Amino acid sequence: MTLAFAYVRHPVRVVFGAGVVATLASELERLGAERVLLLSTPGRAGEREAVASALGGRLAGRFDAARTHVPDEIVRDAMVLVGSAKPGALLTLGGGSAIGLGKALAVETGLPLAAIPTTYSGSEMTSIWGVTGVETKRTGRDPRAAPRLVLYDPELTYGLLPGVSAASGMNAIAHCVEAAYAHDGGPVSRLLAMDGIRRFARALRAIMASPRDPDARAEALAGAHLAGCALEMTSMGLHHKLAHTLGGSFGLPHADTHAALLPWVMEYNAPAAREAMAGIAAALGSDDAVAGMIALARTLRTPSLADLGFTAEMIPRAAALACATSYPNPRTVDEPGVRWTLERALAGAESAG
């Protein structure tokens, strides 16, 4: 078969290394951002103050109420501040919640976006945005949502608790897995995805044993970068559809939900993605991709859906929502298949044979 593939890369400057936050002012100058609005979650007070201090006169204002799944009302509140502060750019500090809010505002306003990620979501490398309404989460892709500047400083992740690190890392691995078997993938996206899985498999185990291991933290953050790049090049399938459904319609936490779903969506798709699964198994250092991911989940002690408050009674509605629209996936998606997957994820890795 003749090799053929296509992908789009958005212009972005990436700066990676311990202590690179110290270069923030000069990097914003390079971007042409004279005044920025700083966006974060409430829990990042120490880091937020340090970044605000580094910004000095470039700080146009601060909004520290970003929340998971980017609720509509939070976007509206932040838009009020954008209107009064009149920044020339947006700067996010934190994980997917802060970056997600920045993306929603960038799409709404057209302002350039910069990001300082402190978790492993990988969202900073994609143009994928999402906002949650009363019962559902709307997602899409828009070049305005893609950050123009990303600063990766592993030192900002040292305080990330092991359990949070594990869930966030599994979230990023899920990006790699879906990129590995995406219908529109190619050699570049697969190379990034496999290297991302390989780095995370090593790094997350080390972080569980020693959360402030600088090499492991750098390795994991590099894996997050690769995962985000791979996801941006490809289409999302069943895994991300289910994670968005359970988050937007059932209120489950984003990264933990990804972690709880991952081995079981892989198990569902495995018969239709044998080549990708062989590569994933090798990246995990296992003879079998699904068994290797279950073993990693056990080591990391990631939660099941039941641990997150999801119940068997919720499965029919979740399956119906996940099948309400069509999307690319290696194996045909239907309600019986989604129900089977959710039943497996409800029990989790500890009950697997």
Side-chain angles (χ1 to χ4, degrees), residues 96-183:
S97 298
I99 296 169
L101 175 60
K103 288 181 169 187
L105 295 176
V107 169
E108 186 76 18
T109 65
L111 290 171
L113 178 63
I116 304 174
T118 61
T119 69
Y120 307 129
S121 76
S123 177
E124 66 281 350
M125 293 309 301
T126 80
S127 61
I128 302 166
W129 64 273
V131 175
T132 301
V134 177
E135 290 190 349
T136 58
K137 185 171 185 177
R138 309 184 306 278
T139 62
R141 291 180 187 251
D142 191 309
R144 294 172 296 180
R148 300 268 303 280
L149 169 68
V150 181
L151 267 64
Y152 288 100
D153 191 333
E155 292 179 350
L156 297 181
T157 67
Y158 289 176
L160 202 62
L161 295 174
V164 178
S165 300
S168 185
M170 289 290 272
N171 179 7
I173 291 175
H175 302 337
C176 295
V177 167
E178 288 220 308
Y181 54 55
H183 75 100

Side-chain angles (χ1 to χ4, degrees), residues 17-282:
V20 296
V21 165
T23 69
L24 177 59
S26 61
E27 290 297 337
L28 289 172
E29 183 175 1
R30 179 193 291 263
L31 183 62
E34 294 185 2
R35 298 178 74 252
V36 300
L37 177 64
L38 179 60
L39 308 167
S40 68
T41 56
R44 312 215 68 92
E47 294 161 3
R48 186 169 60 249
E49 291 305 319
V51 169
S53 177
L55 288 170
R58 292 182 184 273
L59 181 63
R62 296 187 288 188
F63 185 88
D64 61 357
R67 280 170 40 199
T68 185
H69 302 304
V70 194
D72 268 326
E73 64 270 20
I74 296 298
V75 177
R76 290 195 298 270
D77 290 345
M79 277 297 298
V80 173
L81 183 55
V82 171
S84 61
K86 295 181 171 54
L90 305 165
L91 172 64
T92 68
L93 171 68
S97 298
I99 296 169
L101 175 60
K103 288 181 169 187
L105 295 176
V107 169
E108 186 76 18
T109 65
L111 290 171
L113 178 63
I116 304 174
T118 61
T119 69
Y120 307 129
S121 76
S123 177
E124 66 281 350
M125 293 309 301
T126 80
S127 61
I128 302 166
W129 64 273
V131 175
T132 301
V134 177
E135 290 190 349
T136 58
K137 185 171 185 177
R138 309 184 306 278
T139 62
R141 291 180 187 251
D142 191 309
R144 294 172 296 180
R148 300 268 303 280
L149 169 68
V150 181
L151 267 64
Y152 288 100
D153 191 333
E155 292 179 350
L156 297 181
T157 67
Y158 289 176
L160 202 62
L161 295 174
V164 178
S165 300
S168 185
M170 289 290 272
N171 179 7
I173 291 175
H175 302 337
C176 295
V177 167
E178 288 220 308
Y181 54 55
H183 75 100
D184 51 359
V188 178
S189 57
R190 285 193 290 270
L191 180 66
L192 295 171
M194 294 308 173
D195 194 22
I197 293 171
R198 190 175 299 109
R199 288 175 185 271
F200 270 120
R202 293 193 302 259
L204 292 177
R205 290 185 173 98
I207 287 168
M208 294 300 286
S210 179
R212 297 183 67 84
D213 181 332
D215 292 334
R217 287 297 186 180
E219 189 87 340
L221 203 56
H225 171 67
L226 295 170
C229 289
L231 182 64
E232 174 66 0
M233 295 179 183
T234 55
S235 298
M236 295 181 288
L238 175 60
H239 178 94
H240 281 79
K241 179 62 177 180
L242 272 179
H244 292 158
T245 296
L246 298 187
S249 299
F250 295 86
L252 270 62
H254 184 74
D256 287 304
T257 301
H258 274 283
L261 288 170
L262 181 55
W264 318 113
V265 177
M266 286 176 57
E267 187 175 28
Y268 178 79
N269 279 327
R274 297 188 187 280
E275 183 178 351
M277 291 298 164
I280 293 168

